[in-house]
Amino acid sequence: MSPRRADPRTRPALVDIAARLLAEEGPQALSTRRLATEADSSTMAVYTHFGGMSGLVREIVHEGFARLQRHLTHVRQTDDPVADMALLGRAYRHNALANPHLYAVMFGGASLAGFSLTEEDRQHGRYTLGNVVKCATRCFEAGRFRAEDAELVAHQMWSAIHGLVTLELGDYLIAPYDAERCFEAQLTALMVSSGDDLDSAARSVALSKERMPLEVEEAEA
């Protein structure tokens, strides 16, 4: 086996490079020669590690959700489940900003052309939503949220944060309503819309911001 094939850094490097090429230049940039050049590897590396280009694109999606899951699982469960929920939102955003090219591919923001994903591939990452469902249930049990459908609440949180992050990544949010201002306001509004009172929600969101550096940012450093 050649030294390049044995290098454990080659596989993740190919995933990151392929995601960047798809997001920045489109599927026409995705060739084994281009990937080999940028990864300092051989043209056979894509087939060795992924079985072909479609397998590589599929791995981008899976790796994107794996990184998201790592961010979400850094959030501790505390006696303030609303703060935990807000911190999950912060972790989601942090992951997207840290991995914008993976994020674009895993949620369809980058054109895949002939490299198609199956329905199973598209639904693969739903396991990450389980973190939010569990937290919503804890918010119900604590009397902070209205006792409703935890999965529906999780989907509402996901769609709202995802929408803002997508606008942020596209540079659509500018002063005075920049991404940071909109995000902080949205977190509080989401907690209130789920049943929390404004003062309690504001305190929990502020607490989640204090927890962010240690629980999420430093853990990923």
Side-chain angles (χ1 to χ4, degrees), residues 11 31 34 64 70 75 77 79-80 82 87 94 101 103-104 107 118 124 153 160 168 170 177 184 187 209 215 217 219:
R11 183 183 177 92
S31 69
R34 177 78 179 272
R70 286 197 294 272
V75 175
Q77 289 190 13
D79 58 2
D80 186 341
V82 175
L87 190 51
H94 184 77
H101 306 309
Y103 190 82
F107 285 115
T118 66
H124 167 79
V153 170
E168 181 177 9
Y177 301 104
E184 294 299 326
L187 282 179
K209 190 172 186 178
E215 288 186 44
E217 293 173 357

Side-chain angles (χ1 to χ4, degrees), residues 58-175:
R58 180 171 294 108
E59 184 61 24
I60 293 172
V61 175
H62 288 208
E63 175 62 20
F65 281 108
R67 293 187 190 185
L68 172 58
Q69 179 71 354
R70 286 197 294 272
H71 277 80
L72 296 178
T73 53
H74 284 312
V75 175
R76 295 184 295 106
Q77 289 190 13
T78 70
D79 58 2
D80 186 341
V82 175
D84 300 346
M85 180 68 81
L87 190 51
L88 286 171
R90 294 185 189 280
Y92 184 96
R93 179 188 181 211
H94 184 77
N95 173 73
L97 298 181
N99 302 285
H101 306 309
L102 286 171
Y103 190 82
V105 177
M106 60 199 269
F107 285 115
S111 174
L112 303 180
F115 312 118
S116 60
L117 298 175
T118 66
E119 183 63 19
E120 182 180 354
D121 293 329
R122 293 188 181 280
Q123 300 302 325
H124 167 79
R126 282 191 172 274
Y127 69 92
T128 61
L129 198 60
N131 302 280
V132 189
V133 174
K134 291 177 182 177
C135 191
T137 300
R138 293 175 53 238
C139 290
F140 297 158
E141 293 171 346
R144 298 286 298 274
F145 284 3
R146 292 183 298 274
E148 297 180 352
D149 184 336
E151 289 198 24
L152 178 58
V153 170
H155 277 78
Q156 290 171 327
M157 296 285 177
W158 175 30
S159 58
I161 298 298
H162 175 76
L164 187 146
V165 168
T166 300
L167 291 174
E168 181 177 9
L169 289 174
D171 293 325
Y172 289 102
L173 300 176
I174 59 175

